Amino acid sequence: MSSRGVSYAVDRLYAASMRSRTIRDAVYQRWNADEFTDLFEHEKMLADRVRVRAYHEAITRQIRPDDVVVDLGTGTGILAMFVARVAKRVYAVDHSDFIEVAEAVARHHGFRNITFVQEHSGSFTPPEQVDVVVHEQMGDELTNEDMITNLLDLRHRILAEGGRILPSRFELFVEPDSLTTSAHVPHLWELEVEGIDFGFLGATTLLEPYQRRRYGRRRVTCDEVSQLLSDPAPVVSFDLDVLPDASVLPREVGVTRRATRAGSLDGYLVYFRAIFDERTALSTSPDAPQTSWRNRFLRTPRRDVVPGDDLSYTVQFPDLRRPSTWSVAPLVTDG
Ligand SMILES: C[S@@+](CC[C@H](N)C(=O)[O-])C[C@H]1O[C@@H](n2cnc3c(N)ncnc32)[C@H](O)[C@@H]1O
């Protein structure tokens, strides 16, 4: 078999196995627990002062002295320790072996009101009802770390009447943007390199087998985004304190944005806001203070945009947990 054939077969096998929810869940949980045995992942999250400050502020303001709290996905135990300073008791849950580090840190600092439990949240049941579930389950694309499933499960099973999730309110954005010159990678059929014109390839099917699974989707950092081209608005918003089920969230959203800036439309940037309360929110927008999250970028062929142009597109997220299934289809693009 040619190398192209092997890659094709691997992609198809992967896609077929991921269609099974059971296989997907098992693979994902194994991968997630393993991912967070990488010390650097935790160092990166603690070095993110914007993230840590938002949690510290919100926890200090919102957790009460008689609260029983679960910290879902405790990692280094940092949020559990913030909570333990103010709450009655904390159950710090993590399925990763790394929980032994969190336990050592809490012991070193003399915390006596934290119980560490190495378990997946789905099989964790505390011996008492819980007032608050604190978590940082936000992936680069917000919902890709199974945040909604895990938190709704805990809300239904272990939260007391009137109990709350912190943070509970979220907004997901998919916004037209320009990348910086160095970050912009043209499609092959857009290129003319020293007199060699690849443009004719756009009218053929020759490149199709080579547009592999991640073609058209990549992650970028805020530094690689030059500007958003219009005023943003969330394409999906939800509140985990009241959301009945993930199935009520839309799988397709039609969007129209009026361009407010001139620039090249290079694609659509995915970012989110996590709202703790009226005073504290975390945003992964390129216009907000930079965090350790990266942004998914859904690229389109480059075109120039001037203020007043209407940019209409449909965003599809057939599976909110798998950003590899997300896409943007531009509709009308007139001025
Ligand atoms: C993004 S890290 C956050 C760590 C820490 N809370 C912090 O803010 O620095 C997520 C952690 O949740 C854990 N985790 C993810 N899903 C989980 C689940 N369903 N049950 C238990 N632990 C989980 C991971 O192993 C990882 O340590």
Side-chain angles (χ1 to χ4, degrees):
M1 203 188 280
S2 68
S3 62
R4 187 183 86 182
V6 172
S7 314
Y8 220 49
V10 168
D11 281 0
R12 280 217 299 273
L13 191 64
Y14 176 83
S17 58
M18 287 299 122
R19 276 197 284 277
S20 153
R21 173 102 191 216
T22 315
I23 296 179
R24 234 170 37 225
D25 284 355
V27 169
Y28 175 73
Q29 280 177 24
R30 192 58 253 144
W31 171 85
N32 185 282
D34 188 57
E35 164 93 348
F36 289 105
T37 56
D38 180 345
L39 177 58
F40 185 69
E41 287 301 317
H42 296 281
E43 291 171 342
K44 204 171 63 183
M45 289 187 286
L46 293 189
D48 179 347
R49 304 306 300 166
V50 175
R51 186 189 84 102
V52 172
R53 203 175 308 121
Y55 271 93
H56 187 256
E57 249 178 54
I59 286 170
T60 309
R61 196 161 54 235
Q62 290 202 32
I63 303 296
R64 303 171 198 134
D66 55 352
D67 278 339
V68 173
V69 180
V70 164
D71 173 22
L72 164 56
T74 202
T76 50
I78 187 72
L79 306 184
M81 290 182 276
F82 289 168
V83 171
R85 285 178 179 154
V86 269
K88 183 159 100 188
R89 204 161 20 258
V90 189
Y91 295 92
V93 182
D94 204 298
H95 57 174
S96 166
D97 292 343
F98 195 82
I99 197 167
E100 66 174 324
V101 176
E103 218 165 344
V105 179
R107 204 180 315 118
H108 179 81
H109 286 279
F111 285 99
R112 294 181 185 284
N113 56 346
I114 309 178
T115 304
F116 288 92
V117 183
Q118 184 176 4
E119 211 164 327
H120 185 270
S121 60
S123 51
F124 166 69
T125 306
E128 59 189 321
Q129 281 212 316
V130 168
D131 303 295
V132 187
V133 177
V134 168
H135 70 98
E136 198 277 70
Q137 287 256 295
M138 290 101 79
D140 288 324
E141 294 88 4
L142 180 62
T143 49
N144 59 306
E145 289 190 7
D146 245 358
M147 175 181 84
I148 299 180
T149 314
N150 291 337
L151 284 155
L152 292 191
D153 166 58
L154 289 183
R155 191 186 92 202
H156 291 133
R157 289 192 304 108
I158 69 168
L159 257 193
E161 188 73 23
R164 46 203 209 283
I165 292 171
L166 188 68
S168 74
R169 284 188 288 149
F170 296 93
E171 295 173 339
L172 185 67
F173 297 80
V174 181
E175 297 297 330
D177 78 313
S178 306
L179 294 183
T180 58
T181 309
S182 57
H184 171 64
V185 178
H187 293 274
L188 189 57
W189 58 89
E190 295 178 285
L191 281 171
E192 197 264 20
V193 183
E194 305 292 352
I196 307 295
D197 185 358
F198 292 87
F200 76 98
L201 288 168
T204 74
T205 55
L206 187 61
L207 299 179
E208 277 174 17
Y210 301 100
Q211 298 183 18
R212 306 260 327 260
R213 243 177 327 121
R214 293 194 184 82
Y215 190 77
R217 308 177 190 106
R218 51 191 269 227
R219 284 187 172 132
V220 294
T221 63
C222 283
D223 292 340
E224 294 178 304
V225 178
S226 145
Q227 60 174 351
L228 298 178
L229 290 168
S230 53
D231 294 336
V235 292
V236 179
S237 308
F238 56 91
D239 183 341
L240 292 175
D241 279 340
V242 293
L243 184 74
D245 193 81
S247 64
V248 303
L249 295 173
R251 294 292 180 265
E252 181 173 312
V253 179
V255 182
T256 298
R257 296 274 183 269
R258 172 127 326 158
T260 51
R261 297 177 194 101
S264 55
L265 171 64
D266 290 328
Y268 299 84
L269 192 76
V270 178
Y271 65 88
F272 68 83
R273 264 182 95 221
I275 302 156
F276 293 80
D277 55 31
E278 302 325 312
R279 284 159 64 185
T280 304
L282 253 178
S283 170
T284 62
S285 158
D287 290 339
Q290 194 162 348
T291 68
S292 50
W293 281 279
R294 287 179 304 162
N295 299 100
R296 182 157 293 247
F297 177 70
L298 303 160
R299 95 177 149 141
T300 52
R302 178 171 253 194
R303 67 181 275 269
D304 289 332
V305 163
V306 294
D309 280 356
D310 279 336
L311 307 169
S312 298
Y313 51 100
T314 306
V315 185
Q316 292 180 315
F317 4 66
D319 185 346
L320 273 172
R321 304 188 316 164
R322 294 168 58 217
S324 60
T325 65
W326 300 6
S327 60
V328 169
L331 298 173
V332 190
T333 48
D334 47 16

